[in-house]
């Protein structure tokens, strides 16, 4: 058995468990019944030699009939058995003729089982020629039937077995593709859950801490934070249900509102700017995931006082830049599941995701000097709204300001 055969997967092995054609080739041994009957009728010279030859021929033929497995077919023992079968067939046919000539079509069947490609073509021609010559010596023009039967049995057997092998390979490939699809769906779902729950739980924790701090001195503000927590929890349940069905679409405007609310609750001043036409649905979904993950990292790790989110859309590209003035050396999950998964998603859509410590020229004004960490995502804008209507740019939130009732009604939905 070759090394490649030993390393194939369990899916392929399942389809190879029963060699195709093995039992189907056994009934053709009935072609030798004429020779077998002559042994008992006493019309065969040296019947003990003929009987021994018949036993050896049948044994070799049965062995080869069950050698349709690709690994067994290429084994040295199989090739040796085919050579011995050819020698026995020629010896019996030359020595006895008559019904013994029908062993040539059986030799053709065995040849079609074992050989493929150029070896099959060369050997098939050789077997057919030998069958024709030997039969011509014994039966004259009657040799045409043996010659035709030998050629057809060789070609038809090889063709049918090759088709059977192709069907098995297609079945194995189909199962392997199904398994890969399941694995990819599990990976997608795990990423969705990470992005959904990671952000949601971070917002809940931040707002819970804010409510605890505000409760002793401003009960109304604390109750507002508790209301936001309830809204975030309800929305998380809805998003999880939608993620399970695989139909969740993100809204960039909604995600920016949530980001503004979460940053404000964490004591980080948000500054949101948008320019250009709104991106297309697919681009908007991907950018929503990026905003969610980046803001979660800012809230968790940055110790920043200011975070700027800039969305710039051109006819060709959409760029999202998120900068903060934190320490810049925090662990931002760049080597973990969140941003790594987003990088793969954007790359699949023809986009890029870059992160770096310090400003890289993407922020404007004071943001460039205060940025401690920068995340930049770019995507094609071919799916952008063709109307070209500019998106309304949200007003920057002043430092230390809390969102008003309208903001709280929208942001944590």
């Amino acid at each position: 058995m070759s090394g490649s055969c030993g390393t194939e997967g369990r899916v392929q092995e399942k389809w190879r468990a029963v060699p195709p054609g093995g039992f189907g080739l056994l009934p053709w041994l009935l072609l030798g019944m004429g020779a077998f009957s002559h042994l008992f009728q006493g019309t065969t010279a040296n019947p003990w030699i003929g009987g021994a030859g018949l036993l050896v021929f049948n044994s070799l033929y049965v062995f080869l009939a069950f050698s349709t497995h690709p690994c067994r077919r290429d084994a040295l023992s199989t090739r040796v058995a085919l050579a011995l079968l050819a020698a026995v067939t020629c010896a019996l046919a030359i020595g006895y003729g008559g019904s013994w000539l029908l062993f040539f079509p059986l030799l053709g069947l065995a040849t079609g089982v074992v050989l493929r490609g150029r070896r099959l073509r060369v050997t098939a021609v050789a077997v057919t020629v030998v069958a024709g010559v030997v039969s011509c010596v014994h039966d004259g023009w009657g040799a045409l039937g043996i010659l035709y039967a030998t050629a057809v049995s060789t070609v038809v057997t090889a063709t049918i077995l090759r088709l059977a092998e192709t069907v098995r390979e297609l079945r194995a490939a189909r199962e392997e593709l199904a398994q890969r699809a399941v694995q990819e769906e599990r990976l997608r779902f795990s990423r969705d859950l990470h992005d959904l729950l990671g952000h949601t739980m971070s917002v809940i924790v931040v707002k819970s801490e804010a409510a605890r701090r505000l409760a002793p001195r401003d009960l109304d503000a604390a109750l507002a934070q508790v209301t936001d927590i309830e809204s975030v929890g309800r929305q998380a349940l809805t998003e999880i249900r939608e993620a399970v069905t695989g139909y969740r679409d993100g809204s960039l405007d909604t995600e920016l509102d949530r980001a503004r609310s979460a940053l404000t609750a964490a004591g980080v001043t948000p500054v949101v700017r948008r320019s250009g036409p709104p991106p297309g649905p697919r681009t908007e979904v991907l950018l929503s995931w990026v905003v969610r993950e980046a803001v979660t990292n800012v809230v968790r790790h940055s110790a920043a006082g200011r975070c700027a989110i800039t969305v710039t859309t051109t006819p060709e590209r959409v760029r999202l830049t998120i900068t903060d003035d934190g320490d810049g050396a925090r662990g931002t999950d760049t080597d973990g599941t969140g941003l790594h998964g987003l990088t793969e998603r954007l790359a699949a859509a023809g986009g890029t995701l870059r992160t770096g410590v310090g400003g890289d020229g993407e922020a404007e004004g004071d943001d460039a000097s205060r940025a401690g960490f920068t995340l930049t995502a770019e995507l094609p804008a071919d799916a952008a709204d063709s109307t070209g209507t500019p998106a309304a740019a949200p007003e920057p939130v002043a430092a230390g300001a809390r969102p008003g009732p309208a903001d709280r009604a929208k942001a944590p939905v």
Side-chain angles (χ1 to χ4, degrees):
M1 182 177 293
S2 63
S4 60
C5 294
T7 58
E8 290 174 345
R10 288 177 294 180
V11 174
Q12 289 82 353
E13 289 300 328
K14 182 177 74 172
W15 295 108
R16 292 175 177 176
V18 179
F23 291 102
L25 295 174
L26 295 184
W28 292 102
L29 284 174
L30 295 175
L31 290 174
M33 288 300 296
F36 184 75
S37 64
H38 291 329
L39 290 176
F40 289 93
Q41 292 172 1
T43 59
T44 301
N46 300 316
W48 289 106
I49 296 177
L54 185 61
L55 178 61
V56 172
F57 179 91
N58 289 340
S59 300
L60 292 172
Y61 180 86
V62 171
F63 173 79
L64 293 173
F66 288 92
S67 299
T68 55
H69 190 296
C71 296
R72 291 188 59 183
R73 192 174 61 224
D74 296 333
L76 178 61
S77 59
T78 304
R79 303 297 173 87
V80 172
L82 180 62
L84 291 176
L85 183 67
V88 172
T89 302
C90 291
L92 294 175
I94 293 173
Y96 294 107
S99 299
W100 299 83
L101 295 175
L102 293 175
F103 288 159
F104 276 115
L106 295 177
L107 175 61
L109 288 172
T111 303
V113 168
V114 175
L115 301 180
R116 295 290 183 271
R118 184 174 181 275
R119 290 181 178 179
L120 173 63
R121 293 191 294 269
V122 173
T123 307
V125 171
V127 170
T128 303
V129 170
V130 172
V133 171
V134 174
S135 300
C136 183
V137 171
H138 285 279
D139 287 346
W141 288 104
L144 293 178
I146 299 298
L147 186 147
Y148 177 77
T150 303
V152 170
S153 64
T154 305
V155 175
V156 171
T157 302
T159 302
I160 292 176
L161 292 180
R162 180 55 188 147
L163 289 176
E165 292 169 6
T166 302
V167 170
R168 292 200 325 278
E169 291 171 359
L170 289 175
R171 288 174 176 173
R174 183 175 61 185
E175 285 204 0
E176 184 177 356
L177 289 176
Q179 290 179 355
R180 290 185 179 180
V182 170
Q183 293 173 356
E184 291 177 359
E185 182 62 16
R186 287 174 178 171
L187 180 59
R188 182 198 68 81
F189 188 67
S190 66
R191 289 173 178 170
D192 284 357
L193 285 182
H194 173 274
D195 294 341
L196 285 170
L197 297 181
H199 172 80
T200 302
M201 298 309 295
S202 297
V203 172
I204 290 176
V205 169
V206 169
K207 286 185 173 291
S208 298
E209 293 176 349
R212 176 176 52 80
R213 292 194 305 267
L214 292 171
R217 62 178 184 274
D218 192 342
L219 185 58
D220 291 338
L223 290 176
Q225 295 294 334
V226 173
T227 302
D228 289 349
I229 292 173
E230 180 182 0
S231 299
V232 170
R234 293 182 183 276
Q235 182 62 25
L237 290 176
T238 301
E239 290 177 346
I240 290 175
R241 294 190 189 102
E242 293 173 347
V244 169
T245 59
Y247 295 112
R248 182 180 186 275
D249 290 330
S251 170
L252 184 57
D253 288 334
T254 301
E255 203 60 56
L256 290 174
D257 287 340
R258 294 174 185 169
R260 184 186 295 108
S261 177
L263 291 170
T264 302
V268 181
T269 301
V271 179
V272 180
R273 300 186 181 92
R274 293 190 63 174
S275 62
R282 184 184 182 191
T283 302
E284 189 164 319
V285 169
L286 292 173
L287 292 179
S288 298
W289 286 113
V290 175
V291 171
R292 174 183 288 262
E293 181 64 27
V295 170
T296 299
N297 286 331
V298 171
V299 171
R300 283 180 176 177
H301 310 293
S302 70
R306 182 183 179 90
C307 178
I309 304 175
T310 305
V311 181
T312 305
T313 306
T314 65
E316 294 80 19
R317 306 286 289 181
V318 178
R319 173 179 294 181
L320 167 68
T321 304
I322 301 177
T323 61
D324 63 70
D325 60 354
D327 54 24
R330 66 188 186 279
T332 58
D333 198 28
T334 54
D335 296 326
T337 305
L339 293 182
H340 180 71
L342 288 175
T343 302
E344 294 179 351
R345 292 187 187 203
L346 267 62
T352 59
L353 183 69
R354 305 191 307 273
T355 59
V357 177
D360 60 358
E362 304 294 343
E364 299 178 3
D366 296 338
D367 298 330
S369 61
R370 298 184 63 182
F373 195 87
T374 301
L375 179 148
T376 303
E378 290 192 25
L379 285 165
D382 55 343
D385 189 353
S386 59
T387 61
T389 304
E395 293 295 330
V397 179
R402 291 189 291 118
D407 292 330
R408 286 198 298 270
K410 294 190 304 177
V413 177

